[in-house]
Amino acid sequence: FEKVSSLVILLNVLFVALQLQYQGYLRGVGIGVRPDDLPDLTGAITIIDIGFNIFFACELVMRLSAFRCRFFFSHGKPELLHFFDTFLVVASCADLYLFSQGQSSRGLNLNVLRPFRFLRFVRTLRVLQSVKVFNKLKMLVNTVGASFLALFWSIVLLAVVMIMAA
């Protein structure tokens, strides 16, 4: 089950990338930079998006029914990735089913949450940890993750220097 979920997450990441590419193409057609030589794929993209959303909602319901409270709390500690996954599924359900075209009558736009779907790919990396072939990739990912704190402080230091020089 975990491998199938990881494969669907990987496919969803690729689909989101293609969806963003198509939206960029449509913007280019709208401003006259690109010729309109592709058929309208908006309906197909919506149907595929709904399919992924249904899969992720069913997966969440199955995990909640199987693990109950242990899904969110393991050994007394909160599972932050599970909270994040739940938030993404609920937000994408609200985006697709409650709000027409991603906007409610109050102007709430949940399309800003779409790039966060990419972070679901982190779950796929957990499955890859057990495969010995990916040890070098795991070391690279851990190195990048460990360097984020140093990057943050470098940005802060650069901002202070820029403010002092301004």
Side-chain angles (χ1 to χ4, degrees):
F1 182 71
E2 195 70 32
K3 290 182 181 181
V4 171
S5 296
S6 298
L7 178 65
V8 173
I9 290 171
L10 180 62
L11 289 174
N12 185 251
V13 167
L14 294 174
F15 172 72
V16 168
L18 289 173
Q19 185 180 21
L20 290 173
Q21 183 69 28
Y22 183 69
Q23 287 175 355
Y25 167 79
L26 290 179
R27 298 283 163 103
V29 168
I31 61 173
V33 176
R34 300 230 356 128
D36 191 9
D37 53 357
L38 284 180
D40 186 23
L41 301 174
T42 309
I45 287 175
T46 303
I47 290 171
I48 294 171
D49 201 16
I50 289 172
F52 278 120
N53 196 18
I54 289 172
F55 177 83
F56 291 134
C58 290
E59 177 198 18
L60 180 65
V61 168
M62 286 191 286
R63 288 183 190 269
L64 283 173
S65 65
F67 295 112
R68 300 188 195 278
C69 287
R70 288 179 292 142
F71 179 71
F72 293 113
F73 297 98
S74 175
H75 305 294
K77 290 194 264 182
E79 290 284 338
L80 297 179
L81 283 177
H82 292 171
F83 280 109
F84 182 70
D85 281 343
T86 304
F87 172 73
L88 282 178
V89 169
V90 170
S92 63
C93 285
D95 182 28
L96 284 175
Y97 306 121
L98 295 180
F99 305 125
S100 63
Q101 303 298 326
Q103 294 183 347
S104 72
S105 59
R106 295 182 187 152
L108 179 63
N109 189 350
L110 292 180
N111 285 331
V112 296
L113 298 176
R114 287 184 183 257
F116 289 114
R117 289 185 188 178
F118 177 74
L119 296 177
R120 295 190 93 177
F121 188 64
V122 172
R123 279 185 29 187
T124 305
L125 294 177
R126 289 192 300 184
V127 173
L128 296 178
Q129 287 178 353
S130 62
V131 181
K132 191 173 185 174
V133 175
F134 295 109
N135 281 342
K136 301 293 184 187
L137 175 64
K138 181 180 171 186
M139 183 171 36
L140 285 172
V141 169
N142 288 339
T143 304
V144 169
S147 66
F148 276 127
L149 187 61
L151 176 65
F152 169 75
W153 286 114
S154 298
I155 291 172
V156 169
L157 181 62
L158 182 64
V160 167
V161 169
M162 288 174 61
I163 291 171
M164 288 174 47

